[in-house]
Amino acid sequence: MEAELAWEKTIGYKLDRAHIFAVNMFDDFDRFMKVPDEWAPPETKPYTPGENLQQWLTDEKARDQFVIRAVSDMEVLWNDARQLKPELVYKRAYWTESFVQWSQLGTYLATVHRQGAAVWGGANAFNRLMRYAHPQVKLIDFSPGEKYFVTYSSHEPSNPRDTHRVVLNVFDVRTGKVMRDFKGSMDEFSVGGAGGVSGVSWPVFGWGGGKDDKYFARIGKNVISVYETETFSLIDKKSLKVENVMDFSWSPADPILALFVPELGGGNQPARVCLFQIPSEEELRQKNLFSVRLQNVLAKQWRLPERDISIEVLELKNKNDKIIAFAWEPKGHSGSNTGRVSKLTTLKGKQANALFWSPAGRYIILAGLKGFNGQLEFYNVDELETMATAEHFMATGIEWDPTGRYVATSVTSVHEMENGFNIWSFNGKLLYRILKDHFFQFLWRPRPPSFLSPEKEEEIAKNLKKYSKKYEAEDQDVSMLLSEQDREKRKMLKDEWERWVNEWKRWHEEEEAERQRLRDGEASDEEEEYLAKEVEVEELLDVSEEVLSFDLDQE
């Protein structure tokens, strides 16, 4: 076992640009010695196609899937909005020991266990595709192109004065091989970042280079370390030094890294954003930001037409105002006429502390979570109008489906009551509600980007009426089916009521003789034929005597 571990850690180790370490096991020599002297052509095996891991995308009803976790059960379901209910795809008890997570493109479902993690998928069921050994794993993450899988664990030190030890493994998703591991103290992995989980800024790695997952980077104290995935080594064997760097972000389209440095010296040294080209690490642009208390690199607009790189800042009129939530419109076009950031409108007096854009843009939910008890406002940004207001009492989470057609709001087990989820249309119509005790997770299954070109999408949008006729007919058929089902349900309830009445009448007839006997021979059941008399009866229940003493001298 130790020999295998040593082989795994040393084979393929890059000593320098020209030399790579090669290691062989003793068993390899036995295998080499058994190679026959005469060459024989290998046996040709018939091709066996693998499972279609994207089968769910071919659903004839164009539905989306989601996974829920409640008590010890996990369920993957179709969102069947036409039928106003979910449809079960797969259910399994004790499928995970902690939580579950979809990969970025929806191909895999990952589960977390004491000894590591596993990914599942398949055409018609969820089969285990690969295991990743990592004892006491606490967090997981996929690269955007689903090529790599990152696991994280932290371990208590032997010396109480030391910080926890952190272990990060980067696996190849398909083979399960560890491509690189990172080990160190908790302090090394808790620098910068806007969101912290289990004491670290998670995810630790930010991925760049497009769908090929060509680069990944992590932040350290005064450095950004950028790695390339061909050899999983540092670019130019050194980190990018940036004093007091707090956060970073990759450009979604180009291998360009944006770094953010906060204000220092009580505002005497302004905050700044720097853009670097990767892998050359050439600084492309730098901009100072004044009076910025807390700034996320993502909260800026980058415009990168060829060599002209612009960084724009939208300032608040009142410097004392506090930004509670910030969210970019996905696929947004607001302000595209000028190419600059500009204000469309101001909405005042809203009970909202969180913003949730539709992934298709145009629509946004202004949500009042926590102290606002689940207030929801569905807003059309293009028309600058409210489509609907609603409430999901005690809601803890809101998530749009990947198409922007439906929204899920949920109440998890942080509250003892009203656990479960609601499914809404994009314009705020409640479609159905599911209650689940001890409800832990709701996750839509992501979709990969569309293969349609922007021109084709625009052509479809222009001719939507032509394409929609087919679906309108299907909707009408479903509506008629639902009406028929409603009629069948009402008929069933009526038949059940009539059966109960007939049964009651039969009992009434069978007990007629007994009723006549109790009425001293009177045969009629009609109350009008009887004379009602009211009789009062007095009965002495008890008599007691008690002698009371009386003092004559008492005033």
Side-chain angles (χ1 to χ4, degrees), residues 10 114 202 220 268 303 309 328 338 354 357 383 520 523 555:
T10 55
R114 277 191 289 266
W202 190 257
N268 293 326
R303 293 190 290 113
I309 299 174
W328 277 112
T338 62
W357 278 103
E383 303 297 332
D520 296 330
E555 293 183 359

Side-chain angles (χ1 to χ4, degrees), residues 164-418:
H164 282 60
R165 299 293 296 173
V166 166
V167 177
L168 280 149
N169 288 329
V170 182
F171 294 90
D172 183 289
V173 168
R174 294 190 176 184
T175 65
K177 179 182 177 182
V178 178
M179 306 306 295
R180 174 153 184 167
D181 61 12
F182 297 83
K183 298 177 181 178
S185 68
M186 180 76 74
D187 295 339
E188 296 177 46
F189 297 93
S190 59
V191 179
V197 182
S198 297
V200 299
S201 299
W202 190 257
V204 169
F205 301 123
W207 294 83
K211 62 181 181 180
D212 295 327
D213 298 332
K214 197 172 181 180
Y215 307 105
F216 65 100
R218 73 181 182 98
I219 193 169
K221 187 175 182 179
N222 299 324
V223 296
I224 295 287
S225 301
V226 184
Y227 305 83
E228 45 85 16
T229 55
E230 185 176 349
T231 62
F232 278 83
S233 59
L234 272 172
I235 292 178
D236 290 338
K237 294 187 176 181
K238 66 180 186 299
S239 297
L240 185 63
K241 293 184 178 180
V242 182
E243 288 293 322
N244 302 305
V245 61
M246 179 181 175
D247 203 356
F248 74 93
S249 175
W250 287 94
S251 164
D254 305 290
I256 295 176
L257 198 62
L259 312 182
F260 173 70
V261 178
E263 281 185 347
L264 298 171
N268 293 326
Q269 184 176 333
R272 72 180 191 275
V273 173
C274 309
L275 301 184
F276 288 87
Q277 181 75 52
I278 301 298
S280 66
E281 297 184 353
E282 174 191 358
E283 185 172 348
L284 302 176
R285 184 80 158 81
Q286 183 179 137
K287 185 175 181 65
N288 291 335
L289 305 171
F290 295 90
S291 300
V292 177
R293 297 178 183 176
L294 179 62
Q295 181 73 38
N296 188 309
V297 173
L298 295 178
K300 297 185 179 64
Q301 182 183 21
W302 301 357
R303 293 190 290 113
L304 299 111
E306 300 178 356
R307 296 181 177 273
D308 181 23
I309 299 174
S310 173
I311 304 176
E312 299 180 15
V313 179
L314 181 63
E315 297 184 359
L316 300 176
K317 288 184 177 180
N318 188 345
K319 301 296 184 182
N320 295 321
D321 285 348
K322 181 181 179 182
I323 297 177
I324 299 174
F326 181 95
W328 277 112
E329 178 185 10
K331 297 184 179 180
H333 57 271
S334 300
S336 60
N337 292 332
T338 62
R340 301 188 65 84
V341 176
S342 59
K343 185 177 73 173
L344 293 177
T345 186
T346 299
L347 305 176
K348 296 183 178 181
K350 302 295 182 180
Q351 290 189 333
N353 53 14
L355 307 171
F356 298 91
W357 278 103
S358 162
R362 185 175 181 179
Y363 306 113
I364 188 172
I365 296 176
L366 314 177
L369 305 179
K370 298 180 180 177
F372 290 126
N373 290 326
Q375 298 294 319
L376 307 172
E377 181 172 346
F378 295 78
Y379 193 79
N380 184 335
V381 177
D382 284 5
E383 303 297 332
L384 298 180
E385 64 179 9
T386 297
M387 299 180 292
T389 57
E391 180 187 61
H392 186 173
F393 185 60
M394 295 191 297
T396 55
I398 297 175
E399 188 170 353
W400 285 88
D401 86 321
T403 67
R405 295 176 296 173
Y406 305 103
V407 184
T409 59
S410 58
V411 178
T412 57
S413 59
V414 296
H415 297 298
E416 295 182 358
M417 300 171 60
E418 301 293 325

Side-chain angles (χ1 to χ4, degrees), residues 540-547:
L540 186 62
L541 298 177
D542 187 26
V543 176
S544 62
E545 292 184 3
E546 183 178 353
V547 179

